[in-house]
Amino acid sequence: MAVVVGSRSRRTEMNWATICCSAFSCLQLYWTRLVIRKWFNVSSFDSDYSADTDDDRLSLSCSSQDFDPSSSGVTKDDDCPKLRRRNSETFRVQYIDTQAIRICAGTWNVGGRVPPADLDIDGWLDTLEPADIYVLGLQEIVPLNPGNIFGIEDDQPASVWENIIRDALNRVQPRKRKILSHSDPPSPKPCKEVSHNVHDTFLETRHGACDTFFSGERPIVTEDSLTNIEVLDSTNDNASPSTPDRSLSVKINSDSHREERICYSERVGLSWPEPPLKLLNQYVLERRGSFKPLNLSIMNLRKPAYVRIVSKQMVGVFLTIWVRRSLRKHISNLSVSTVGVGIMGYIGNKGSVSVSMSIYQTPFCFLCSHLSSGEKDTDHQKRNDDVREINRRTLFHPNSSNANVLPRSIRDHERILWLGDLNYRINLSYEKTHELIARKEWQRLLENDQLSNEMRKGNVFEGWSEGVLCFPPTYKYEIDSDNYIGDDPESGKRRPAWCDRVIWKGKGMKLLSYRRNEIQLSDHRPVTATILAEVEVLSPWKLQRALAITYAEIQSQ
């Protein structure tokens, strides 16, 4: 009997050993495949980028369906307008409108440093002038050591940066109305208790986003007034405010501990399509009739104004794009492409991450790249070769029924925005460069800038545009300092240069600002370009009118 038991135990141990060996072999094979795919930059059939999911069933398509990153944000609805280009633009004018969107493009080489959670990037994102789209590119998001270059990518720093960006965008305040309407909704009527002026409480966002909240401190709402408060969801464009039966009393605590009492006897800009049962269960006191005030934060009831539609990392190159929530449903045909031009010409320590998408009816392409470094006289030739390789090897594979009419390469797009650490230097001596920087003679420096000269000669980026460089070179600084690196025993004298750039190509793109920010986290300074871009928007009623006229002409013949 003992022999049988012993044989069974040995058999069980052998089975477990076989299972462990098989699991280890599968894991080793999986790791090997990941590393090989990374080395040679082989794209998978499934989309491997990340994006925010949402409960409001908004998608990156023309219809309202669940957003699925694996579907590349492409709708299967045949009713969506195709991105066709007619030979006659006169015919397109009959049913196409133009609309301007504000794009904030920022680039920053962070030198592999993980940021603190309280890092202030509001100046880099220009949150005082909110944009509709934020295109943010980071280089060296992880240290470029052999483990990160040849091994599995470390995505932990990317998560930290996304949280910082999300917090900064959540603090963006909607724009105030330039023209106030006194009839819809009516202006609040202050009671006699008000001792000084009350700020306007109705604010609005662009593109019809109706985020409404109270300015100042958090209001204290009583239980009786809570039954009349209804909050308008920022994603529901069709919701209309309701008319409460009685006035709404709100108690506001100011910094000087004064109390104001505002009465609204008419329609209030806060509405809910159905009773707020969830809020009642959470905030209403257990005993009805109690007049103990309830602390209710209106800001916490609002959904985030911006959503992340795509984030993609390739070794140290990271590109993330955020859009206004109301604009998300007008973005479709999302596709991502990565190109490595580093070690052996394919490793991703240098290269680009590109995103193709359609905003309304206009195809856009956003690129973040990190090109070859070096201060030798011939190193700019390597950077030119990197740009050519990125243009040649960047291909998008849209998964849709009309893929044959969608852009497949960079040059197929109508609006292109390229940002990153392009690493082009200034062809001057170390001493002369510092002399011109001290005198702020930016034009003299620009005349010797490699990228400007290469663009002017047509060797690279022919037909592209860039803003005027009216700020000091962004590289190379001492960490946590405003001083450029001087005599470095290891790297020698590093000449300052405008390594971090934002350039664009396409009609209907106007530069609003081009600047740098003074965050001292790394040896680079972040750069931001704000661009106003025109997009084509399908007008259904214009299309219907054009079809009706065409039908009438056919009938008259």
Side-chain angles (χ1 to χ4, degrees):
M1 188 67 178
V3 175
V4 175
V5 173
S7 62
R8 287 183 178 177
S9 62
R10 285 195 299 270
R11 194 180 304 115
T12 303
E13 292 177 359
M14 293 177 62
N15 291 338
W16 275 110
T18 303
I19 293 174
C20 291
C21 290
S22 300
F24 179 76
S25 300
C26 293
L27 184 61
Q28 189 177 22
L29 180 61
Y30 174 73
W31 183 88
T32 304
R33 287 179 178 177
L34 285 178
V35 172
I36 293 299
R37 296 180 73 90
K38 176 181 178 179
W39 286 4
F40 294 98
N41 200 29
V42 179
S43 301
S44 59
F45 292 101
D46 298 329
S47 298
D48 56 352
Y49 60 85
S50 61
D52 284 346
T53 58
D54 205 358
D55 296 332
D56 54 5
R57 294 185 178 272
L58 290 177
S59 64
L60 304 183
S61 61
C62 300
S63 62
S64 297
Q65 62 181 14
D66 290 333
F67 172 63
D68 182 10
S70 63
S71 64
S72 298
V74 179
T75 181
K76 297 181 180 180
D77 190 356
D78 294 335
D79 295 335
C80 291
K82 304 295 189 300
L83 288 172
R84 296 185 180 276
R85 289 293 181 264
R86 302 286 183 177
N87 292 329
S88 174
E89 288 296 327
T90 305
F91 182 76
R92 286 181 54 80
V93 172
Q94 296 178 358
Y95 61 89
I96 291 292
D97 288 332
T98 58
Q99 181 175 328
I101 61 173
R102 190 183 183 98
I103 302 176
C104 177
T107 178
W108 190 9
N109 186 320
V110 297
R113 301 193 66 188
V114 178
D118 58 348
L119 180 65
D120 185 6
I121 61 171
D122 291 355
W124 181 39
L125 303 185
D126 194 12
T127 55
L128 295 179
E129 292 292 336
D132 302 301
I133 300 178
Y134 286 88
V135 182
L136 306 176
L138 299 175
Q139 303 84 45
E140 294 190 42
I141 195 172
V142 296
L144 297 183
N145 52 46
N148 289 325
I149 295 175
F150 297 101
I152 302 300
E153 288 173 351
D154 181 11
D155 59 354
Q156 186 61 31
S159 300
V160 176
W161 280 106
E162 287 177 345
N163 291 334
I164 294 175
I165 294 171
R166 190 185 305 275
D167 292 341
L169 294 181
N170 284 342
R171 294 192 297 269
V172 173
Q173 299 293 336
R175 296 175 180 269
K176 288 186 177 181
R177 293 182 179 179
K178 295 182 179 180
I179 301 177
L180 296 178
S181 173
H182 299 282
S183 59
D184 188 16
S187 302
K189 299 178 180 179
C191 294
K192 295 181 180 180
E193 290 89 342
V194 178
S195 58
H196 57 280
N197 293 333
V198 179
H199 295 289
D200 295 335
T201 58
F202 295 99
L203 305 176
E204 69 170 4
T205 58
R206 296 175 63 186
H207 304 294
C210 303
D211 294 333
T212 308
F213 56 90
F214 288 99
S215 61
E217 299 291 335
R218 294 183 178 179
I220 301 177
V221 185
T222 62
E223 180 184 358
D224 292 339
S225 63
L226 182 62
T227 58
N228 288 333
I229 294 181
E230 301 183 357
V231 181
L232 178 62
D233 189 353
S234 63
T235 60
N236 187 359
D237 296 334
N238 298 324
S240 60
S242 61
T243 306
D245 297 334
R246 49 186 175 177
S247 63
L248 166 66
S249 297
V250 180
K251 181 179 179 183
I252 301 178
N253 294 330
S254 63
D255 295 336
S256 60
H257 304 289
R258 292 179 297 182
E259 294 183 357
E260 299 176 356
R261 192 173 182 82
I262 307 174
C263 293
Y264 297 89
S265 59
E266 313 236 357
R267 183 171 61 180
V268 181
L270 299 172
S271 67
W272 213 315
E274 58 185 17
L277 299 179
K278 182 177 179 181
L279 288 178
L280 289 176
N281 293 334
Q282 183 176 359
Y283 293 103
V284 175
L285 299 177
E286 295 181 0
R287 285 194 319 168
R288 292 187 59 85
S290 174
F291 294 94
K292 184 177 180 180
L294 302 174
N295 291 327
L296 177 62
S297 176
I298 301 298
M299 293 296 293
N300 292 336
L301 301 179
R302 297 175 57 236
K303 290 186 177 181
Y306 293 88
V307 293
R308 179 178 59 106
I309 62 170
V310 59
S311 288
K312 176 61 181 176
Q313 178 182 354
M314 183 190 68
V315 188
V317 182
F318 179 69
L319 179 63
T320 180
I321 300 178
W322 302 67
V323 302
R324 286 191 185 274
R325 180 176 293 273
S326 58
L327 184 61
R328 180 180 184 175
K329 59 187 175 182
H330 301 294
I331 295 178
S332 59
N333 307 315
L334 186 63
S335 182
V336 176
S337 177
T338 59
V339 174
V341 295
I343 302 173
M344 298 185 294
Y346 282 90
I347 305 301
N349 60 313
K350 294 292 190 292
S352 69
V353 175
S354 308
V355 173
S356 172
M357 66 174 68
S358 300
I359 305 177
Y360 290 98
Q361 308 305 307
T362 303
F364 279 76
C365 182
F366 303 107
L367 299 94
C368 174
S369 66
H370 191 186
L371 305 184
S372 298
S373 60
E375 291 186 333
K376 297 179 181 179
D377 295 337
T378 58
D379 284 340
H380 71 280
Q381 304 276 354
K382 299 179 183 178
R383 294 184 271 274
N384 291 351
D385 294 337
D386 291 346
V387 173
R388 298 186 187 100
E389 279 294 296
I390 291 173
N391 275 293
R392 183 179 67 86
R393 290 163 47 193
T394 299
L395 295 176
F396 302 101
H397 304 281
N399 182 20
S400 66
S401 58
N402 59 335
N404 58 333
V405 298
L406 292 175
R408 295 183 60 86
S409 64
I410 296 175
R411 60 179 61 89
D412 293 336
H413 295 79
E414 295 187 5
R415 315 278 192 271
I416 312 171
L417 205 155
W418 193 316
L419 52 91
D421 182 1
L422 305 187
N423 257 323
Y424 285 92
R425 307 305 171 94
I426 297 175
N427 292 328
L428 288 175
S429 64
Y430 175 87
E431 293 76 12
K432 187 63 175 179
T433 302
H434 276 275
E435 179 185 345
L436 294 178
I437 292 175
R439 293 189 298 192
K440 297 183 179 181
E441 296 187 12
W442 313 130
Q443 184 60 36
R444 291 277 304 276
L445 286 174
L446 189 60
E447 292 174 357
N448 296 274
D449 175 65
Q450 291 179 350
L451 178 58
S452 301
N453 292 333
E454 294 300 305
M455 293 174 64
R456 192 181 305 111
K457 296 176 183 177
N459 295 333
V460 69
F461 293 118
E462 185 178 3
W464 290 66
S465 302
E466 185 185 20
V468 179
L469 295 170
C470 294
F471 49 82
T474 57
Y475 175 84
K476 174 179 175 130
Y477 282 89
E478 297 178 358
I479 303 298
D480 299 326
S481 172
D482 285 331
N483 300 323
Y484 288 104
I485 286 183
D487 295 335
D488 191 343
E490 296 182 358
S491 58
K493 294 183 177 181
R494 290 293 186 95
R495 291 173 291 175
W498 285 297
C499 292
D500 311 278
R501 315 288 277 265
V502 180
I503 59 178
W504 71 90
K505 184 178 183 180
K507 297 180 179 179
M509 302 182 72
K510 178 183 178 182
L511 181 68
L512 300 180
S513 67
Y514 193 34
R515 54 188 175 75
R516 72 173 224 172
N517 195 261
E518 302 304 323
I519 307 178
Q520 301 176 357
L521 180 68
S522 73
D523 54 355
H524 288 251
R525 292 294 181 265
V527 172
T528 306
T530 304
I531 296 175
L532 203 64
E534 289 185 355
V535 293
E536 294 183 341
V537 182
L538 176 67
S539 176
W541 72 271
K542 279 188 175 183
L543 178 60
Q544 184 177 5
R545 184 182 64 178
L547 293 176
I549 294 175
T550 303
Y551 180 76
E553 292 176 352
I554 295 175
Q555 292 296 324
S556 62
Q557 293 178 356

Coordinates of all heavy atoms in Angstrom, one line a residue, residues 96-137:
I96 N -20.7 71.4 -46.9 CA -19.6 71.3 -45.9 C -19.5 72.7 -45.3 O -19.4 73.7 -46.0 CB -18.3 70.8 -46.6 CG1 -18.4 69.4 -46.9 CG2 -17.2 71.1 -45.6 CD1 -18.5 68.4 -45.7
D97 N -19.4 72.7 -44.0 CA -19.1 74.0 -43.2 C -17.7 73.8 -42.7 O -17.1 72.7 -42.6 CB -20.1 74.2 -42.1 CG -21.5 74.6 -42.6 OD1 -21.5 75.2 -43.6 OD2 -22.4 74.3 -41.9
T98 N -17.1 74.9 -42.3 CA -15.8 74.9 -41.7 C -15.9 75.4 -40.2 O -16.8 76.3 -39.9 CB -14.8 75.9 -42.4 OG1 -15.3 77.2 -42.5 CG2 -14.6 75.3 -43.8
Q99 N -15.1 74.8 -39.4 CA -15.1 75.2 -38.0 C -13.7 75.2 -37.5 O -12.9 74.4 -37.9 CB -16.0 74.2 -37.2 CG -16.1 74.4 -35.7 CD -17.0 73.4 -35.0 OE1 -18.0 73.0 -35.7 NE2 -16.7 73.1 -33.8
A100 N -13.3 76.1 -36.6 CA -12.0 76.2 -36.0 C -11.9 75.5 -34.7 O -12.8 75.7 -33.8 CB -11.6 77.7 -35.9
I101 N -10.8 74.7 -34.5 CA -10.6 74.0 -33.3 C -9.2 74.5 -32.8 O -8.3 74.7 -33.6 CB -10.7 72.5 -33.4 CG1 -9.6 72.0 -34.4 CG2 -12.1 72.0 -33.7 CD1 -9.5 70.5 -34.4
R102 N -9.1 74.5 -31.5 CA -7.8 75.0 -30.9 C -7.0 73.8 -30.4 O -7.5 72.9 -29.7 CB -8.1 75.9 -29.7 CG -6.9 76.6 -29.1 CD -7.4 77.4 -27.9 NE -6.3 78.2 -27.3 CZ -6.1 79.5 -27.5 NH1 -7.0 80.1 -28.3 NH2 -5.1 80.2 -27.0
I103 N -5.8 73.7 -30.9 CA -4.9 72.5 -30.6 C -3.7 73.0 -29.8 O -3.0 74.0 -30.2 CB -4.4 71.8 -31.9 CG1 -5.6 71.3 -32.7 CG2 -3.5 70.7 -31.6 CD1 -5.2 70.7 -34.1
C104 N -3.5 72.4 -28.7 CA -2.3 72.7 -27.9 C -1.3 71.5 -28.0 O -1.6 70.4 -27.6 CB -2.7 72.9 -26.4 SG -1.2 73.2 -25.3
A105 N -0.2 71.8 -28.6 CA 0.8 70.7 -28.9 C 2.1 71.0 -28.0 O 2.7 72.1 -28.1 CB 1.3 70.7 -30.3
G106 N 2.4 70.1 -27.1 CA 3.5 70.2 -26.2 C 4.5 69.1 -26.3 O 4.1 67.9 -26.5
T107 N 5.8 69.4 -26.3 CA 6.9 68.4 -26.3 C 7.8 68.7 -25.2 O 8.1 69.8 -24.8 CB 7.6 68.4 -27.7 OG1 8.6 67.5 -27.7 CG2 8.2 69.8 -28.0
W108 N 8.4 67.6 -24.7 CA 9.3 67.7 -23.5 C 10.2 66.4 -23.4 O 9.6 65.3 -23.3 CB 8.5 68.0 -22.3 CG 9.3 68.3 -21.1 CD1 10.6 68.7 -21.0 CD2 8.9 68.5 -19.7 NE1 11.0 69.0 -19.8 CE2 10.0 68.9 -18.9 CE3 7.6 68.3 -19.1 CZ2 9.9 69.1 -17.6 CZ3 7.5 68.5 -17.8 CH2 8.6 68.9 -17.0
N109 N 11.5 66.6 -23.4 CA 12.4 65.5 -23.1 C 12.6 65.6 -21.6 O 13.2 66.5 -21.1 CB 13.7 65.7 -23.8 CG 14.6 64.5 -23.6 OD1 14.7 63.9 -22.6 ND2 15.3 64.1 -24.7
V110 N 12.1 64.6 -20.9 CA 12.1 64.6 -19.4 C 13.3 63.9 -18.8 O 13.4 63.7 -17.6 CB 10.8 64.0 -18.8 CG1 9.6 64.8 -19.2 CG2 10.6 62.5 -19.3
G111 N 14.2 63.4 -19.7 CA 15.4 62.8 -19.2 C 15.3 61.6 -18.3 O 16.2 61.3 -17.5
G112 N 14.2 60.8 -18.5 CA 14.1 59.6 -17.7 C 13.7 59.8 -16.3 O 13.8 58.9 -15.4
R113 N 13.3 61.0 -15.9 CA 13.0 61.3 -14.5 C 11.5 61.2 -14.2 O 10.7 61.6 -15.0 CB 13.5 62.7 -14.1 CG 14.9 63.0 -14.3 CD 15.3 64.3 -13.7 NE 15.2 64.2 -12.2 CZ 15.3 65.3 -11.4 NH1 15.6 66.5 -11.9 NH2 15.2 65.2 -10.1
V114 N 11.2 60.5 -13.1 CA 9.8 60.3 -12.8 C 9.4 61.6 -12.0 O 10.0 62.0 -11.1 CB 9.6 59.1 -11.9 CG1 8.2 59.0 -11.4 CG2 10.1 57.8 -12.6
P115 N 8.3 62.2 -12.4 CA 7.9 63.5 -11.8 C 7.3 63.3 -10.5 O 6.7 62.3 -10.2 CB 6.9 64.1 -12.9 CG 6.3 62.9 -13.4 CD 7.4 61.8 -13.5
P116 N 7.3 64.3 -9.6 CA 6.6 64.3 -8.4 C 5.1 64.4 -8.7 O 4.7 65.0 -9.7 CB 7.1 65.5 -7.6 CG 7.6 66.4 -8.6 CD 8.2 65.5 -9.7
A117 N 4.3 63.9 -7.8 CA 2.8 63.9 -8.0 C 2.2 65.3 -8.1 O 1.2 65.5 -8.7 CB 2.1 63.0 -6.9
D118 N 2.9 66.2 -7.4 CA 2.4 67.6 -7.4 C 3.0 68.5 -8.4 O 3.0 69.7 -8.2 CB 2.5 68.2 -6.0 CG 4.0 68.2 -5.5 OD1 4.8 67.5 -6.2 OD2 4.3 68.8 -4.5
L119 N 3.6 67.9 -9.4 CA 4.3 68.8 -10.4 C 3.3 69.7 -11.1 O 2.3 69.2 -11.6 CB 5.0 67.9 -11.5 CG 5.7 68.6 -12.6 CD1 6.9 69.4 -12.0 CD2 6.2 67.6 -13.7
D120 N 3.6 70.9 -11.2 CA 2.7 71.9 -11.8 C 3.1 72.1 -13.3 O 4.1 72.6 -13.7 CB 2.9 73.3 -11.1 CG 1.9 74.3 -11.6 OD1 1.0 74.0 -12.5 OD2 2.0 75.5 -11.2
I121 N 2.2 71.6 -14.2 CA 2.4 71.7 -15.6 C 1.3 72.6 -16.3 O 1.2 72.5 -17.5 CB 2.4 70.3 -16.3 CG1 1.0 69.6 -16.1 CG2 3.5 69.4 -15.8 CD1 0.9 68.3 -16.9
D122 N 0.7 73.4 -15.5 CA -0.4 74.3 -16.0 C 0.2 75.2 -17.1 O -0.5 75.5 -18.1 CB -1.1 75.1 -14.9 CG -1.9 74.2 -14.0 OD1 -2.1 73.0 -14.3 OD2 -2.4 74.7 -13.0
G123 N 1.4 75.7 -16.8 CA 2.0 76.6 -17.8 C 2.3 75.9 -19.1 O 2.2 76.5 -20.2
W124 N 2.8 74.7 -19.0 CA 3.1 73.9 -20.2 C 1.9 73.7 -21.0 O 1.9 73.8 -22.3 CB 3.8 72.6 -19.8 CG 4.2 71.8 -21.0 CD1 4.7 72.2 -22.2 CD2 4.1 70.4 -21.1 NE1 4.9 71.1 -23.0 CE2 4.6 70.0 -22.4 CE3 3.7 69.4 -20.2 CZ2 4.6 68.7 -22.8 CZ3 3.8 68.0 -20.6 CH2 4.2 67.7 -21.9
L125 N 0.7 73.4 -20.4 CA -0.5 73.1 -21.1 C -1.3 74.4 -21.4 O -2.3 74.3 -22.1 CB -1.4 72.2 -20.2 CG -0.8 70.8 -19.8 CD1 -1.8 70.0 -19.1 CD2 -0.2 70.1 -21.0
D126 N -0.9 75.5 -20.8 CA -1.6 76.8 -21.1 C -3.0 76.6 -20.7 O -3.9 76.9 -21.5 CB -1.4 77.2 -22.6 CG -1.8 78.6 -22.8 OD1 -2.0 79.4 -21.7 OD2 -2.0 79.0 -23.9
T127 N -3.3 76.2 -19.5 CA -4.6 76.0 -19.0 C -5.5 77.3 -18.9 O -6.7 77.2 -18.8 CB -4.6 75.3 -17.7 OG1 -3.9 76.0 -16.7 CG2 -4.0 73.9 -17.8
L128 N -4.8 78.5 -18.9 CA -5.5 79.7 -18.9 C -6.3 80.0 -20.2 O -7.3 80.7 -20.2 CB -4.6 80.9 -18.6 CG -3.9 80.9 -17.2 CD1 -3.0 82.1 -17.1 CD2 -5.0 80.9 -16.1
E129 N -5.8 79.4 -21.3 CA -6.5 79.5 -22.6 C -6.8 78.0 -23.0 O -6.0 77.4 -23.8 CB -5.6 80.2 -23.6 CG -5.4 81.7 -23.3 CD -6.7 82.5 -23.5 OE1 -7.6 82.0 -24.2 OE2 -6.8 83.5 -22.9
P130 N -7.8 77.4 -22.5 CA -8.1 76.0 -22.8 C -8.2 75.7 -24.2 O -8.7 76.5 -25.0 CB -9.4 75.8 -22.0 CG -9.6 76.9 -21.1 CD -8.9 78.1 -21.7
A131 N -7.7 74.6 -24.6 CA -7.7 74.1 -26.0 C -8.8 73.0 -26.2 O -9.3 72.5 -25.2 CB -6.3 73.6 -26.4
D132 N -9.1 72.7 -27.4 CA -10.0 71.6 -27.7 C -9.3 70.3 -27.7 O -9.9 69.3 -27.4 CB -10.7 71.9 -29.0 CG -11.5 73.2 -29.0 OD1 -12.4 73.4 -28.2 OD2 -11.2 74.0 -29.9
I133 N -8.1 70.3 -28.1 CA -7.3 69.1 -28.3 C -5.9 69.3 -27.7 O -5.3 70.4 -28.0 CB -7.1 68.6 -29.7 CG1 -8.5 68.3 -30.3 CG2 -6.3 67.3 -29.8 CD1 -8.4 67.9 -31.8
Y134 N -5.4 68.4 -26.8 CA -4.1 68.5 -26.3 C -3.3 67.3 -26.8 O -3.6 66.2 -26.6 CB -4.1 68.4 -24.8 CG -4.6 69.7 -24.1 CD1 -5.9 70.0 -23.9 CD2 -3.7 70.7 -23.8 CE1 -6.4 71.1 -23.3 CE2 -4.1 71.9 -23.2 CZ -5.4 72.1 -23.0 OH -5.9 73.3 -22.4
V135 N -2.2 67.6 -27.6 CA -1.3 66.6 -28.2 C 0.0 66.8 -27.4 O 0.7 67.8 -27.7 CB -1.1 66.8 -29.7 CG1 -0.2 65.8 -30.3 CG2 -2.5 66.9 -30.4
L136 N 0.3 65.8 -26.6 CA 1.5 66.0 -25.7 C 2.5 64.8 -26.0 O 2.1 63.6 -25.9 CB 1.1 65.9 -24.2 CG 0.0 67.0 -23.9 CD1 -0.4 66.8 -22.4 CD2 0.5 68.4 -24.1
G137 N 3.7 65.2 -26.3 CA 4.7 64.2 -26.5 C 5.9 64.3 -25.5 O 6.4 65.4 -25.3

